[in-house]
Amino acid sequence: DITDEKVMKTIMQTVSNTDYDFFVVADGSVNSAADYETAGRERLFREDQPFEARNEELIRQYVCAEDVERVVAGCKIDNVFEHIKNGDVYKFNFSMCEKSGEIRRKQLQFTLIDYERKTFLMTLVDVNGIFIEQQQLLLKLKEALRSAQSAAAAKSDFLSRMSHDIRTPLNAVIGLSGLGAESDSIDETHEYLRQIGASGEYLLSIINDVLDMSKITSNSMVLHPAVVFLPKFIRETIDIVRPTINAKNIDFEVRMHGITTMYMRFDPTHVRQVVINLLSNAVKFTPENGHIELYLENISHESKFVKNRMIIRDDGIGINAEFLPKIFLPFEQENTMNDETRVGTGLGLSIVKSIVDLMGGTIRAESEKGKGTAFIVEWDIETASADEMPVKESEPLPQTAELGGHRVLLCEDHPLNARIAVKLLENKGMLVDHAKNGQLGLEMFQNSGIGYYDAILMDIRMPVMDGLTAAKKIRNLDRRDAKSVPIIAMTANAFAEDINESLEAGMNAHLSKPIDPRKLYETISSFIGKNIEDKGYAK
């Protein structure tokens, strides 16, 4: 039908003009071919001209040299028919130089038309856009592979260091405890215990770094802003690193310029972590009798926010220029071999940068090998006033009470932890009742007389009933001391959200394991003193 023929011709011309460079019908039985007539295009084949000869002529004229022989061989009639005789589509790509001189990626496709006559359709389509996308994707994949391999190597090196850094203090703990058990000298045993304590604190710092990095990589770090009195915050922060500064006889200087307010609202825990980490690094890499400076400046003040700049500068060993771009990457350390200053996780600066980023600030490092390093932190901090402080700086600290003779309910499932806690409390003359889980603790409190317990120390993770549930149930009991008895969390759950969960469950304070005896005594003492005033009844 003439109408159907015109429709088909229009369709083929449209497809040819939009998607294909040409359509060629080849008859393998007589080695001839003809390209489908398309308006405005030069005919490539005639029926009286051998297909293979003309095709090779065109290939050698336009196909790029590195692909010529492969394309010639691929277009041989026998080779084509071998690939398509079962109805499969045969195609391959190559590079072609067009008349304009542009190199483009093309694809030849062969499709079976008639098996008996070895007739097939040959089409040429431009795949340059797809090829470029694939090349770009390939480059991205290669870069991702290189990054993954680099990260894997860094993590492998990190794990190797962790194995060394964890085993070193652990070996000290085990070895020194053995020596202490065999020693007949009290002074010698005390020295062993002191060294065990130092090794344990170092081991704890490693664990804290790893846990912090885990929270950062899982995007679960959350800021908890609070109003802070700046002079007190600076003083308490410096006090933490003061012993190591003094031990190396380092000249330490604090300078402030243009500070417009002494009250600010930020997350004191995480900001302190930034400052201590940077100061600890400065101390570690600064030789004895060196100099470290902490400089604070308000560089602008707009509305309720000040742009604060903090610089921690030292005259220590400095950082190689080649390593400086990697300084904030996790797991990276410079010169980890045969360098006694390169101890720790290598996570500290990565944690610092993550905290600064979370606060919307920036951090950069400037350093010259052999001359020292400066870390510059800039962030916008909300201003506050003295009236917004939860406790005024002028108010006295709460009065503490003597611990001797007071009774404590200890809820702790781990036998060794319970034994240590009982011994610490009994050393202060306290009376201790021990419950192995939250359910037993709840029952012991329920069955006790009003005001029998002066405080409850509550672990969080326990079998049968956890500490959070036990605390809530104690607070909901229908007895007049249920609301007032101090409940203090004493747990290995040490993150900010863990502290919030404890407080929301009705606990008064949260102590993280391993327990600092001094902090334990101070906390119990302050709450017992307040509890005695609040009770208003005799035991």
Side-chain angles (χ1 to χ4, degrees), residues 121-177:
L121 175 68
M122 180 176 73
T123 60
L124 182 70
V125 61
D126 189 288
V127 292
N128 202 64
I130 297 173
F131 176 74
I132 291 173
E133 289 179 4
Q134 289 176 337
Q135 291 298 108
Q136 291 173 343
L137 178 60
L138 183 61
L139 287 174
K140 289 180 180 178
L141 289 174
K142 287 181 178 179
E143 183 58 36
L145 178 60
R146 280 194 295 269
S147 297
Q149 289 172 335
S150 176
K155 288 181 180 180
S156 176
D157 179 61
F158 165 75
L159 291 174
S160 176
R161 291 201 314 273
M162 283 304 91
S163 176
H164 173 271
D165 287 352
I166 290 174
R167 287 173 186 273
T168 298
L170 197 56
N171 180 67
V173 169
I174 295 171
L176 291 168
S177 62

Side-chain angles (χ1 to χ4, degrees), residues 355-367:
I355 294 172
V356 173
D357 288 346
L358 191 60
M359 292 184 63
T362 62
I363 181 170
R364 68 183 191 275
E366 297 176 355
S367 185

Side-chain angles (χ1 to χ4, degrees), residues 26-29 31-32 45 50-57 59-60 68-85 90 92 108-110 118 120-122:
D27 187 342
S29 63
N31 190 20
S32 67
F45 293 90
F51 164 73
E52 286 190 346
R54 175 57 178 167
N55 201 36
E56 183 172 346
E57 180 184 334
I59 291 169
R60 296 192 180 280
V68 167
E69 300 304 330
R70 177 173 59 87
V71 177
V72 168
C75 290
K76 295 293 184 181
I77 292 174
D78 289 344
N79 182 62
V80 170
F81 197 70
E82 185 64 29
H83 283 86
I84 67 173
K85 63 184 180 182
Y90 172 45
F92 53 83
L108 276 173
Q109 298 184 15
F110 302 87
K118 288 190 175 181
F120 55 85
L121 175 68
M122 180 176 73

Side-chain angles (χ1 to χ4, degrees), residues 24-240:
V24 174
V25 176
D27 187 342
S29 63
V30 294
N31 190 20
S32 67
D35 45 306
Y36 196 89
E37 183 179 353
T38 54
R41 291 188 181 175
E42 179 184 353
R43 298 292 296 273
L44 300 174
F45 293 90
R46 296 189 306 274
E47 292 184 5
D48 61 347
Q49 184 180 24
F51 164 73
E52 286 190 346
R54 175 57 178 167
N55 201 36
E56 183 172 346
E57 180 184 334
L58 292 170
I59 291 169
R60 296 192 180 280
Q61 182 177 354
Y62 293 110
V63 174
C64 292
E66 64 272 17
D67 293 329
V68 167
E69 300 304 330
R70 177 173 59 87
V71 177
V72 168
C75 290
K76 295 293 184 181
I77 292 174
D78 289 344
N79 182 62
V80 170
F81 197 70
E82 185 64 29
H83 283 86
I84 67 173
K85 63 184 180 182
N86 295 321
D88 298 327
V89 176
Y90 172 45
K91 53 188 174 183
F92 53 83
N93 296 346
F94 58 92
S95 297
M96 190 174 87
C97 182
E98 298 197 329
K99 291 181 178 179
S100 63
E102 181 184 6
I103 304 295
R104 296 187 67 85
R105 199 69 175 170
K106 303 288 183 175
Q107 184 179 85
L108 276 173
Q109 298 184 15
F110 302 87
T111 309
L112 181 66
I113 296 176
D114 188 294
Y115 180 83
E116 297 298 331
R117 291 185 57 83
K118 288 190 175 181
T119 306
F120 55 85
L121 175 68
M122 180 176 73
T123 60
L124 182 70
V125 61
D126 189 288
V127 292
N128 202 64
I130 297 173
F131 176 74
I132 291 173
E133 289 179 4
Q134 289 176 337
Q135 291 298 108
Q136 291 173 343
L137 178 60
L138 183 61
L139 287 174
K140 289 180 180 178
L141 289 174
K142 287 181 178 179
E143 183 58 36
L145 178 60
R146 280 194 295 269
S147 297
Q149 289 172 335
S150 176
K155 288 181 180 180
S156 176
D157 179 61
F158 165 75
L159 291 174
S160 176
R161 291 201 314 273
M162 283 304 91
S163 176
H164 173 271
D165 287 352
I166 290 174
R167 287 173 186 273
T168 298
L170 197 56
N171 180 67
V173 169
I174 295 171
L176 291 168
S177 62
L179 292 173
E182 296 174 357
S183 176
D184 296 327
S185 168
I186 296 297
D187 291 340
E188 192 175 64
T189 300
H190 284 169
E191 178 61 19
Y192 291 148
L193 292 174
R194 186 194 65 76
Q195 294 176 27
I196 287 173
S199 297
E201 289 177 3
Y202 175 61
L203 189 58
L204 180 62
S205 71
I206 292 174
I207 293 170
N208 285 338
D209 272 358
V210 173
L211 292 177
D212 278 345
M213 199 65 213
S214 174
K215 289 178 69 64
I216 290 168
T217 54
S218 63
N219 295 317
S220 57
M221 181 182 284
V222 179
L223 297 177
H224 299 279
V227 177
V228 173
F229 182 55
L230 190 60
K232 181 183 178 184
F233 175 81
I234 295 172
R235 182 177 66 253
E236 291 178 345
T237 302
I238 293 173
D239 284 346
I240 295 172

